[in-house]
Amino acid sequence: MAIIYQFSKRIFRDITNEGVVDVDKVTADFIGSVIKVYERKGTIIVHIKDKRVNHASISNTNGQVKEWEIKYAIEQVLESEIKDVLVHVSRTGVIHVCTKEDNTFIK
């Protein structure tokens, strides 16, 4: 049975300009990119986009990132479909998602 996520009740808020996350420190390598930071109940999504990069990093300091949060980042933040992205989990538990054309975390 498929799970249908109701995103309208689970909205991340844009905290880019609130100073909660040091955006300059996190994104020093992405000068010229549009950088947005979203938050919901301890889960942070950092989205970096320019003409060559469409990448989201998802983390939660209070526990694991939930499946619906990853799906939200893909569909609502990256504006992509699951089949069009690559997902990588770092050893620290941060989930990196990028479009297949991007591949910023694949070395």
Side-chain angles (χ1 to χ4, degrees):
M1 178 178 198
I3 298 173
I4 306 298
Y5 293 104
Q6 300 298 321
F7 292 131
S8 61
K9 295 179 184 175
R10 299 176 172 177
I11 302 297
F12 280 75
R13 62 189 184 96
D14 185 341
I15 62 167
T16 305
N17 297 320
E18 292 184 18
V20 175
V21 176
D22 187 351
V23 174
D24 293 331
K25 182 178 177 184
V26 172
T27 59
D29 294 335
F30 296 97
I31 306 234
S33 301
V34 175
I35 299 143
K36 292 283 195 173
V37 181
Y38 302 92
E39 185 274 337
R40 182 180 187 278
K41 294 187 177 181
T43 298
I44 301 286
I45 300 173
V46 177
H47 179 221
I48 301 167
K49 185 173 184 176
D50 65 23
K51 62 185 176 188
R52 62 179 179 81
V53 173
N54 192 15
H55 179 116
S57 296
I58 313 159
S59 63
N60 186 322
T61 56
N62 301 325
Q64 289 186 319
V65 174
K66 296 173 180 64
E67 182 181 334
W68 77 263
E69 294 169 325
I70 299 167
K71 187 170 173 64
Y72 182 95
I74 293 167
E75 294 178 0
Q76 303 296 315
V77 177
L78 294 177
E79 299 176 345
S80 295
E81 295 182 29
I82 292 173
K83 65 180 180 62
D84 297 326
V85 300
L86 299 170
V87 179
H88 170 74
V89 181
S90 72
R91 66 177 181 254
T92 60
V94 176
I95 297 172
H96 300 277
V97 183
C98 72
T99 57
K100 289 182 179 177
E101 299 83 34
D102 174 357
N103 293 324
T104 52
F105 60 77
I106 309 278
K107 301 282 185 211

